[in-house]
Amino acid sequence: MSGVVSSDERFMAAAIRLCRRNLGLTSTNPSVACLIVKDGVIVGSAVTAPGGRPHAETQALAMAGDAARGATAYVTLEPCSHHGKTPPCADALIASGVARVVVAVTDPDERVAGRGLSMLRDAGIVVETGLLESEGKAALAAYLTRQTKKHPYVTLKLAVSADGMLGRLGTGQVAITGPISRGQVHVLRAETDAILVGIGTALSDDPELTCRLPGLETRSPVRIVLDPRLELPPTSKLARTALLVPVIVVAAKDDKDDPAFAARQDALETLGVEVLICDPRRLEALLAALATRGISSLLVEGGARTAQSFLEADLVDRILLFKGAGTLGKDGVASPCVSGQMPAGFSLRDTARYGADILEEYERDE
Ligand SMILES: NC(=O)c1ccc[n+]([C@@H]2O[C@H](COP(=O)([O-])OP(=O)(O)OC[C@H]3O[C@@H](n4cnc5c(N)ncnc54)[C@H](OP(=O)(O)O)[C@@H]3O)[C@@H](O)[C@H]2O)c1
């Protein structure tokens, strides 16, 4: 194979980069990008708007106007063919007079599944699919997982010391990685619908779990705590900021006869915390419930037992291991997975260096 990149590939790569911009912002709709290209010039470009509408294609076509006639549309996901809250994008493309549509990924949504492509072909438009499909699938992983498995795409993120520890019990948050890695974690949070920790972490670290990067402060995900006995203190940072960024506490029982439980529930709810009664040990059912609320991507940030449970239940799609250079010693909390001893079924996809830290990205084998 030659190393020459075709202009089709360059435009699709640009579309895939663009679609990442609104990841985590488009509710139940996928973040899709569309470029309209005429004679080698981009005359329209758009990504699904925050909230999920308008779709990318209609915005890009509006930008292109008459220049769309005879142009090529590059779309990261098959254009929709059904009447939802907006008319089908396939119809909009046909009406615009584009001559060719190039698609990276076919939509598994049963209302679309190939029909969008057929509508375009039936209208005489040249349709090509599968260009940069694996890159497109990576960008659309959350949406595709929710559509096909009915649960969110789960990323397990762990910061691990050089001796395989996640933290030290009873000492609060321990800095394992440096500022560049921590900034990367905030970018991840901005791209994700929800972030989840166990109550052990909430109690020991009192984390805020928000995105605090300048300019991205409004992109914090919903925060979820697995808290069987409803122990999250009303004085915790999570509870105190629940009116600013939603917090869902997943508790195991709804014992109205237990006055102490009811009082804790009242105190949290007064602060704006949602108490979801759903056994946090039944992760499969919990993930299905989160998917029905439109949560397509979930970032699990620990601690050790929570990470272990997700791995044992085989519910992790991707593992991000941020490896710090320092050690924590024997009294540390051991990580359920360390470099070189990853769970079966995961392969190393990428590595990056962030200052003194190394990030290893593992993905579940197809
Ligand atoms: N380096 C990192 O990336 C990182 C990230 C987060 C936390 N940490 C560190 O990890 C330590 C806390 O870890 P941890 O293992 O003690 O606490 P954890 O995993 O945060 O929380 C465990 C608690 O969650 C409850 N829980 C509810 N549903 C669960 C489920 N499905 N699976 C597992 N637990 C569930 C457990 O209930 P039961 O009591 O009923 O079992 C237990 O009380 C702290 O030292 C913290 O600093 C490190």
Side-chain angles (χ1 to χ4, degrees):
M1 228 179 101
S2 87
V4 179
V5 177
S6 70
S7 57
D8 274 347
E9 282 177 327
R10 278 193 290 113
F11 286 125
M12 187 58 86
I16 291 170
R17 278 196 301 279
L18 180 61
C19 86
R20 289 187 167 274
R21 185 177 296 175
N22 281 355
L23 285 178
L25 293 182
T26 54
S27 181
T28 52
N29 283 345
S31 178
V32 174
C34 174
L35 298 186
I36 310 292
V37 177
K38 180 84 166 281
D39 301 327
V41 176
I42 298 173
V43 292
S45 75
V47 56
T48 312
R53 275 183 301 276
H55 291 182
E57 295 92 323
T58 47
Q59 299 178 77
L61 288 170
M63 189 189 283
D66 285 344
R69 196 154 293 282
T72 296
Y74 295 86
V75 198
T76 55
L77 182 69
E78 176 180 359
C80 64
S81 56
H82 57 285
H83 281 269
K85 289 188 176 135
T86 52
C89 289
D91 279 349
L93 285 162
I94 294 166
S96 74
V98 297
R100 184 169 166 253
V101 174
V102 183
V103 170
V105 180
T106 310
D107 195 340
D109 183 332
E110 58 248 4
R111 295 169 302 176
V112 184
R115 273 194 285 283
L117 304 178
S118 310
M119 282 169 69
L120 298 170
R121 286 198 178 104
D122 290 349
I125 294 173
V126 175
V127 177
E128 286 158 44
T129 57
L131 182 68
L132 299 187
E133 188 176 25
S134 58
E135 291 83 348
K137 280 186 169 171
L140 287 159
Y143 170 75
L144 297 174
T145 304
R146 188 166 146 271
Q147 284 295 339
T148 53
K149 299 187 185 164
K150 310 294 177 212
H151 64 67
Y153 180 84
V154 175
T155 298
L156 173 62
K157 170 254 138 186
L158 294 171
V160 182
S161 64
D163 54 350
M165 302 296 169
L166 292 183
R168 239 187 246 114
L169 272 188
T171 54
Q173 271 188 50
V174 182
I176 293 176
T177 50
I180 307 176
S181 295
R182 287 201 292 278
Q184 275 307 115
V185 172
H186 284 240
V187 172
L188 265 173
R189 289 178 181 173
E191 290 182 342
T192 307
D193 293 333
I195 182 169
L196 179 148
V197 294
I199 183 65
T201 296
L203 292 176
S204 74
D205 297 0
D206 193 20
E208 204 169 317
L209 303 177
T210 47
C211 173
R212 298 187 291 280
L213 286 182
L216 293 179
E217 296 91 340
T218 56
R219 295 194 52 169
S220 292
V222 172
R223 299 163 297 166
I224 301 172
V225 184
L226 301 184
D227 185 5
R229 294 167 292 277
L230 211 51
E231 294 171 295
L232 183 72
T235 51
S236 61
K237 285 186 190 143
L238 283 166
R240 284 189 285 119
T241 57
L243 287 174
L244 300 173
V245 180
V247 174
I248 302 175
V249 170
V250 185
K253 61 169 187 172
D254 187 10
D255 192 349
K256 296 281 181 223
D257 297 332
D258 176 354
F261 187 96
R264 290 199 297 280
Q265 180 166 354
D266 268 359
L268 288 173
E269 285 176 348
T270 303
L271 292 165
V273 172
E274 177 182 349
V275 176
L276 175 66
I277 304 298
C278 173
D279 187 350
R281 296 238 151 245
R282 295 184 53 234
L283 291 175
E284 181 97 44
L286 173 63
L287 291 194
L290 296 179
T292 61
R293 292 168 164 240
I295 291 176
S296 306
S297 54
L298 181 70
L299 182 63
V300 176
E301 285 207 25
R305 281 177 285 170
T306 298
Q308 182 73 43
S309 297
F310 271 86
L311 289 168
E312 281 171 2
D314 205 19
L315 289 170
V316 177
D317 297 292
R318 177 170 71 141
I319 302 172
L320 297 178
L321 213 56
F322 286 85
K323 303 193 301 175
T327 55
L328 289 184
K330 296 198 296 309
D331 57 343
V333 177
S335 172
C337 52
V338 290
S339 190
Q341 294 168 34
M342 297 305 280
F346 284 89
S347 301
L348 183 64
R349 291 280 182 256
D350 211 355
T351 58
R353 178 172 276 282
Y354 296 128
D357 310 327
I358 292 174
L359 166 65
E360 290 178 356
E361 175 172 356
Y362 297 84
E363 230 174 11
R364 177 196 282 282
D365 300 328
E366 291 249 331

